[in-house]
Amino acid sequence: MDRDRMLEVGVGLVSRFGAKALSLTSVARHAGVARATAYRMFGGRDALVDAIVSHELEQLRLRLAEWGADEADAAERVRVRVLKSLEYIRAHDALQYVLREEPEEIVRALVSPDLARPSLVERVVDMSIVDVSDAEAQELYPDPRAAAEFLVRVVYSCMLVPGSSMSDEQVADLVVRAVIR
């Protein structure tokens, strides 16, 4: 069994039982491998959770690179990325389960009380700016990192408080106005 498959099993378990119930033993059992294999692969629950988050962030990074890639205009790329990010969050079963049943887990990840570890916002920003082209970077205000952080914070705000008088399109348009020169 490869690591990615174990991570997918972990995400599936979070979708059904939540983040708090996640354990190496449950992942091993549902993946059909020995408990020792899961411990050898991850070492402990915290490492498993971190690996799942990293795996999910890489999946998001790949999608962000695709979303809007066909758009010649940086403003339209940002707009599409906001809209697709909101759509992605709403369709992500594990994230939706945790938002409904264990919102404190999401809040803890977003604010990261452990100063030695980056917050989820910082991690998403770090991974999302990797694929920004030089031409696109020149159009981002005030700079690529700040623009990405603003976009991430807005999307997470919409995730945490889903009800709004604004449509997704309006949210995306406001983000574009804020981050494109």
Side-chain angles (χ1 to χ4, degrees):
M1 162 121 337
D2 71 350
R3 184 178 172 88
D4 284 345
R5 175 70 184 122
M6 294 281 283
L7 296 173
E8 290 169 10
V9 167
V11 171
L13 290 172
V14 171
S15 299
R16 291 175 40 211
F17 307 111
K20 290 179 181 177
L22 187 68
S23 70
L24 283 171
T25 301
S26 64
V27 170
R29 183 175 45 248
H30 284 87
V33 300
R35 188 170 162 242
T37 300
Y39 276 90
R40 234 185 345 270
M41 206 172 278
F42 299 104
R45 183 187 185 282
D46 289 346
L48 170 65
V49 170
D50 191 56
I52 288 172
V53 170
S54 294
H55 179 264
E56 290 300 297
L57 289 177
E58 179 59 17
Q59 297 305 306
L60 178 59
R61 186 193 69 76
L62 294 172
R63 285 176 174 83
L64 283 168
E66 290 174 11
W67 295 334
D70 297 338
E71 303 295 338
D73 181 43
E76 192 56 27
R77 279 193 300 277
V78 168
R79 186 176 192 287
V80 167
R81 287 177 184 144
V82 170
L83 291 169
K84 291 290 190 179
S85 293
L86 291 169
E87 190 178 300
Y88 178 76
I89 285 168
R90 291 182 187 123
H92 196 287
D93 292 336
L95 185 54
Q96 288 303 309
Y97 183 98
V98 174
L99 280 168
R100 264 189 332 274
E101 304 297 329
E102 305 167 336
E104 68 280 3
E105 297 297 318
I106 298 289
V107 171
R108 187 178 358 272
L110 288 172
V111 298
S112 187
D114 180 0
L115 297 177
R117 294 173 50 105
S119 70
L120 187 55
V121 170
E122 292 167 314
R123 290 181 72 181
V124 173
V125 169
D126 288 344
M127 72 81 189
S128 67
I129 61 174
V130 168
D131 296 318
V132 172
S133 70
D134 290 340
E136 188 173 0
Q138 291 179 359
E139 294 190 52
L140 295 173
Y141 175 82
D143 59 68
R145 182 169 193 77
E149 182 178 334
F150 183 78
L151 188 155
V152 169
R153 287 178 180 273
V154 168
V155 168
Y156 278 144
S157 171
C158 292
M159 174 187 77
L160 290 171
V161 186
S164 176
S165 62
M166 294 182 292
S167 68
D168 289 353
E169 289 77 14
Q170 290 170 318
V171 169
D173 288 343
L174 288 170
V175 169
V176 168
R177 284 180 158 175
V179 303
I180 297 294
R181 293 184 196 275

